[in-house]
Amino acid sequence: MYLLKAKILLLAAATLDTAIAHTTFTNFYVDGAPQGDGTCVRMNNDIPKATWPVRPIDSQDMACGVDGNKGVARICPANSGSQLTFNFRDWPDGSQPGSLDKSHMGTCSVYMKKVDNAAADNNAAGPGWFKIFEEDYDNSTAQWCTSKIMANDGKLSVQIPSDLAGGYYLVRPELLALHQADKTPPDPQFYVGCAQVFLQSTGSAVPKDTVSIPGYVSMQDPAMTFHIWDAPKQLYFPQFSPPTYKSGSSKRDIKTRADQLKQTFGLKPANCIMENDNWCGLTLPSYSNENGCWATSQKCSDQTTTCYSSAGPTGSKNCKNWEDYCTSIRQACGSGNFNGPPSASSFIPTAPARLSVTGSNDPSSDNTQDQSSGSSGDKAEMGTSTPAGGDNSVKGGSVDTCGGQGGLKPQDLLSSPTPQHLIPYKIHQNPEPVYATIFHPSFTLENATSALYAVSLRALPIRLLSPFSPSIIASYPLVSITTEEYIAPHSLLFSPYDPNTLFAGSFNLITTFDINRNGQGPVARMPTIPSKRSKVVGGAGGIKGIVSALGMSPEGILAAGTFSRWIGLYDGQGRGGSVGAFEVGENAVPGRKVDGAGTTQVLWSNDGRYLCVAERCSDQVGVWDIRGTGKKLASLRGRKAVTNQRMSVDLVGNEVWAGGVDGMVRVWGDLGMKEGMIDPAWEFNAHDGTLFTLSRNGKS
C-alpha cells in the first residue's frame, strides 16, 4: 500500500497530472535482434517522470525527449533496409505489464536525422529531421495506430529506406495521444525518444523534405485540437508534418565520407562481458596472490557502483548480476583462493528472445556487434512480432531483485577488509538554509518510487524530494495566519501508522500534512499552548516555544520537545489531545541541575514505556519512565556533546548509541533497568572529528 501511493505521488503530485498510464520508448530491435533495455536509447533520466509526455510542444525536448540532447555511450549498428522495432512501456523497467492506457488513442510516426556522431551531445534539436513512417486512424480496422501498438505489446516496426546514405543517425519514434486534445486548454501528448544508430549502407540518398524539431508543429495546427471522441469519427486526420520519405523519392545524393563508412564511435568494448543499458562490465585482471585477489575484488566493486549510479529508467537488473559475480570473488579471497578471477559465465543472463520478422536483413558487416549479451529483454512478444526461441531466465540471480523501479542498490560496505571512501549518490543544493529533514519510512535507494524525503527550508514551503529526481516532487506551504509569511518547521516526522501523514513542529504549533495533497497546506493545526497571551510555560497550559523534536511511540503517543526544554505528549497517533507535559530543564529533578540548551531529539523505547531526550549543549541523555512512574528514571552521562549543533543518538534494542565531539561512539545498555547517573558500558573511536549524526545497522 505504501509503495503504491508513493508511485502515484511521484507520477502525479508535482504537476497534478493525474493520468498515470503514460509511456516511454525503452528499447529496440534490429531485424529481430534485441539491443538491450536502454542500450543506445536517449531517455528522460528523471526516473519518476520518465513516462511523462513532452510539454510544451515548442520546447527543445520535442526532438528526443527530456535529456534527449545528451548522447549516450553506445551506438547500435543496422544495415540499409533493416527493420527497426521500437518498444514502448508504461513501466520503463518492465516490472509491470502494459505499454499505454487504451484511452491514449492517436498517431504514430518515425523520424530520422543524419549526424556526425550519434553519441555526441547537442545534435538532436534543430533542422535535418525527415519522416520515414506515419500512421493515424485506420478506417479498415477502426483503430488508431496507438491502439495497434497496445495490441502488439507496445511494439512498432518500421523499415529503414534502403537508399539512405550510410553513417550515424538519430531515429525518433513518436506517439501522439489525442485523448485530451479537445479539452480546455488543449493537451496533445507527445511521447518521444531517440535511438542512436550507425547505418551500414552503400546508398547515397539524403531526403530533401526535412523539418526542424521543435518547430514542425504548433498549437495552431488543427491536429493539436482534434476531437477523437466524435461519433461518427471525422474521415480525415489533419496532417501536421512533412511527407513520408520513401526510397527513390524526393532526395539529393551525396558522396559518403570515409569516416561514415565504418563505425568508430559508440562501439561495444571488446572486453565487455555484461551490460546494463549503456554500461559495460569489463574483464577483470587476473591474480595469483592475496593482494591481487583483493585488488581485483575492489575493481569489480567499483564497476558495480558505476553500474548502479548510471542505471536509468529501465532499471539495474544486470548490476545485481554483476554484484553477485563480485561477491563470488570476494568470498574466494576470504576463503584463501587467490587464483582467479573465476568465470563470469554463470552470472551472465541468457540472451533475450529474438523477434521473428519477415524479409529481415541481419547486420553482418564488420561493424556488427552482439548487442544482446547480458542485456534484459521482454518476457513475451505479442501480435505480429513473436518470440523466435530463447527465454529470459537469468543465471546467478533473479531478473529484477533490485532496482525494480530504476533504483540503485548501494555497495555492501562490509565487502572490503579495509575502510572504504564513500561519496554521495546525490547532492540537492537548496536555495535556503535547511531547518529539518526526514526520510520516508519506506525509503530505499533500490526503488526510486519509495526514495522520498521531506525537507524544511527557511521562508519556503516544505519540499518532498527524491535522489532520483532533479526537481521538486511536491511542496506543502505552512503560512502564518497573522503575517501570511511562510513558517519553516524545526522538526518533521512521518507517521509510522500512515506514511502519507507528515507532522511538522514550529513555534507553539504542530501541523499535519497529507503528502498526497501537493501544493496544499496542513489538514490539521494543533497549538501546543492555548494562546499567545498565556504566561504559563508548560503545565496545564501545554508547552510553549519552538517544537524542535518529534517522535511517535509504538502505542501512538506523539512526543514533542521544544527548545524551551519542555516535552508534550499527545494521544490518538498525534491527532488527539494533550495527555501530559513535563520539563526537562532546571526543575526536571528537584535539587539537581541538568545541563542543556533545548531538546533536539526524542526517542521511544521499543515497548513504548521509556522516552529518551537529547539536548544541545549537554553531555547527558535523559531517560523518562512515561508509562510507569511518569518521572525521570536516569541520565546517560559522558556523551561529550557540549555544542550548539544538533547531535543525534540512536536506539537499537535496549542500547543507546551516541557520538561525541571527540569522534568517540559511546554505548549504554539495559535501557530502563538502572536508575540515576549511568556511565557508558563501552566506547570506541570512530572518527577524527565530531560525530554529528550516528545510525547503527541493527543487522550487524
Side-chain angles (χ1 to χ4, degrees):
M1 290 294 292
Y2 300 165
L3 294 186
L4 176 60
K5 283 202 172 185
K7 171 71 175 177
I8 294 172
L9 176 68
L10 281 168
L11 292 175
T15 65
L16 299 182
D17 187 347
T18 56
I20 64 171
H22 293 323
T23 192
T24 190
F25 163 46
T26 57
N27 58 298
F28 68 106
Y29 301 74
V30 178
D31 294 318
Q35 305 303 292
D37 281 8
T39 305
C40 307
V41 177
R42 299 188 182 190
M43 298 181 65
N44 182 352
N45 288 312
D46 187 354
I47 295 175
K49 300 178 182 178
T51 61
W52 286 16
V54 174
R55 296 188 179 100
I57 65 173
D58 59 355
S59 73
Q60 299 279 302
D61 298 336
M62 278 293 285
C64 289
V66 176
D67 297 324
N69 230 15
K70 183 175 177 58
V72 297
R74 296 285 299 282
I75 300 173
C76 294
N79 283 342
S80 60
S82 283
Q83 178 177 291
L84 302 182
T85 301
F86 306 99
N87 194 33
F88 285 83
R89 295 174 181 162
D90 179 24
W91 293 71
D93 63 350
S95 60
Q96 300 285 342
S99 57
L100 192 64
D101 188 84
K102 63 181 181 180
S103 67
H104 287 42
M105 294 181 288
T107 69
C108 314
S109 301
V110 178
Y111 290 77
M112 295 181 69
K113 179 179 181 178
K114 197 173 192 307
V115 294
D116 289 335
N117 177 4
D121 296 341
N122 303 314
N123 59 4
W129 290 97
F130 58 95
K131 186 168 58 179
I132 64 168
F133 174 86
E134 181 177 43
E135 184 175 337
D136 43 60
Y137 186 74
D138 186 345
N139 284 286
S140 64
T141 62
Q143 283 185 306
W144 286 93
C145 181
T146 54
S147 299
K148 294 182 180 181
I149 289 177
M150 296 174 211
N152 196 33
D153 199 27
K155 293 177 176 58
L156 170 66
S157 295
V158 301
Q159 188 171 17
I160 299 174
S162 59
D163 62 348
L164 287 181
Y168 297 95
Y169 287 85
L170 300 179
V171 188
R172 173 187 179 269
E174 169 192 289
L175 304 186
L176 169 57
L178 296 163
H179 59 296
Q180 298 286 333
D182 63 313
K183 303 300 186 289
T184 303
D187 183 24
Q189 297 182 5
F190 284 86
Y191 299 93
V192 301
C194 283
Q196 299 181 171
V197 171
F198 179 80
L199 181 61
Q200 181 70 44
S201 173
T202 58
S204 59
V206 176
K208 288 184 178 180
D209 294 320
T210 63
V211 295
S212 177
I213 304 179
Y216 74 123
V217 64
S218 75
M219 289 303 297
Q220 282 66 51
D221 291 319
M224 298 301 99
T225 55
F226 188 80
H227 198 315
I228 63 170
W229 307 109
D230 274 352
K233 292 188 180 299
Q234 300 176 36
L235 293 178
Y236 300 103
F237 177 74
Q239 298 301 308
F240 62 90
S241 54
T244 301
Y245 178 78
K246 302 293 183 182
S247 296
S249 61
S250 177
K251 65 183 178 68
R252 58 187 176 89
D253 294 316
I254 63 170
K255 183 177 180 180
T256 304
R257 302 197 318 255
D259 63 354
Q260 301 284 301
L261 294 175
K262 184 178 179 64
Q263 182 176 350
T264 56
F265 299 116
L267 293 163
K268 175 182 172 181
N271 59 343
C272 176
I273 57 177
M274 192 181 296
E275 300 171 74
N276 193 81
D277 53 52
N278 296 284
W279 170 89
C280 267
L282 305 178
T283 303
L284 296 169
S286 59
Y287 52 85
S288 58
N289 55 52
E290 182 174 5
N291 288 338
C293 188
W294 287 115
T296 295
S297 174
Q298 185 60 51
K299 289 181 182 296
C300 192
S301 296
D302 291 343
Q303 291 194 54
T304 302
T305 301
T306 303
C307 183
Y308 279 122
S309 62
S310 64
T314 54
S316 50
K317 308 173 189 69
N318 283 337
C319 300
K320 175 61 169 64
N321 295 323
W322 183 264
E323 182 182 27
D324 290 342
Y325 174 48
C326 297
T327 298
S328 72
I329 296 175
R330 184 170 63 252
Q331 291 173 343
C333 296
S335 63
N337 182 359
F338 303 133
N339 291 290
S343 172
S345 59
S346 62
F347 301 97
I348 298 175
T350 303
R354 293 176 60 95
L355 302 182
S356 61
V357 295
T358 302
S360 65
N361 181 12
D362 291 327
S364 57
S365 57
D366 291 341
N367 64 292
T368 301
Q369 307 160 56
D370 177 9
Q371 297 288 330
S372 62
S373 173
S375 298
S376 59
D378 300 295
K379 296 181 179 179
E381 312 300 335
M382 300 174 62
T384 58
S385 298
T386 56
D391 60 52
N392 275 27
S393 60
V394 177
K395 302 175 182 178
S398 67
V399 170
D400 199 8
T401 56
C402 93
Q405 303 302 324
L408 174 147
K409 184 171 183 179
Q411 181 180 341
D412 183 0
L413 298 183
L414 304 179
S415 62
S416 173
T418 58
Q420 300 184 45
H421 176 69
L422 304 181
I423 59 175
Y425 170 70
K426 178 71 174 181
I427 297 177
H428 272 137
Q429 184 66 48
N430 291 294
E432 293 289 341
V434 176
Y435 282 24
T437 57
I438 186 72
F439 286 99
H440 193 271
S442 57
F443 184 99
T444 170
L445 284 177
E446 298 179 37
N447 190 330
T449 61
S450 64
L452 300 169
Y453 72 96
V455 59
S456 169
L457 305 174
R458 182 181 65 188
L460 289 172
I462 301 169
R463 294 181 171 186
L464 191 66
L465 303 174
S466 167
F468 296 100
S469 175
S471 56
I472 301 170
I473 301 300
S475 63
Y476 314 99
L478 178 57
V479 179
S480 169
I481 296 175
T482 55
T483 66
E484 298 185 349
E485 295 178 342
Y486 284 123
I487 298 173
H490 282 69
S491 55
L492 297 170
L493 175 71
F494 280 108
S495 170
Y497 296 93
D498 179 8
N500 295 303
T501 296
L502 176 66
F503 295 101
S506 52
F507 183 72
N508 292 349
L509 183 66
I510 299 173
T511 47
T512 307
F513 295 85
D514 181 348
I515 64 171
N516 289 316
R517 300 162 70 104
N518 179 30
Q520 299 187 32
V523 295
R525 290 173 176 256
M526 182 170 62
T528 60
I529 199 166
S531 77
K532 286 189 174 182
R533 296 186 182 91
S534 175
K535 296 182 179 180
V536 178
V537 178
I543 58 174
K544 187 174 183 179
I546 294 174
V547 178
S548 51
L550 294 167
M552 186 81 72
S553 79
E555 297 175 336
I557 301 296
L558 177 66
T562 68
F563 280 146
S564 57
R565 308 187 72 188
W566 280 80
I567 303 293
L569 304 175
Y570 305 88
D571 63 6
Q573 299 176 10
R575 299 175 183 269
S578 173
V579 294
F582 57 89
E583 189 178 6
V584 298
E586 297 293 333
N587 301 316
V589 180
R592 182 187 301 168
K593 182 178 180 180
V594 181
D595 293 331
T599 308
T600 56
Q601 193 175 5
V602 287
L603 284 172
W604 289 93
S605 61
N606 291 333
D607 59 5
R609 175 169 181 171
Y610 303 104
L611 182 68
C612 298
V613 180
E615 294 192 81
R616 296 182 299 184
C617 297
S618 176
D619 271 343
Q620 302 176 14
V621 177
V623 181
W624 297 79
D625 186 352
I626 300 298
R627 205 168 59 192
T629 64
K631 297 180 180 179
K632 188 172 185 179
L633 177 70
S635 291
L636 311 181
R637 65 183 178 186
R639 180 185 171 201
K640 304 295 183 185
V642 180
T643 174
N644 277 318
Q645 303 297 317
R646 288 178 181 254
M647 296 185 64
S648 68
V649 301
D650 196 13
L651 184 60
V652 181
N654 65 347
E655 294 180 340
V656 177
W657 289 52
V661 295
D662 56 356
M664 299 291 290
V665 174
R666 296 174 174 85
V667 183
W668 296 262
D670 301 325
L671 179 65
M673 303 300 292
K674 301 177 182 178
E675 298 183 12
M677 305 296 290
I678 303 175
D679 294 317
W682 56 287
E683 62 184 35
F684 64 93
N685 184 263
H687 190 48
D688 56 1
T690 301
L691 293 173
F692 291 108
T693 302
L694 181 146
S695 181
R696 177 179 178 244
N697 179 2
K699 296 180 181 180
S700 60

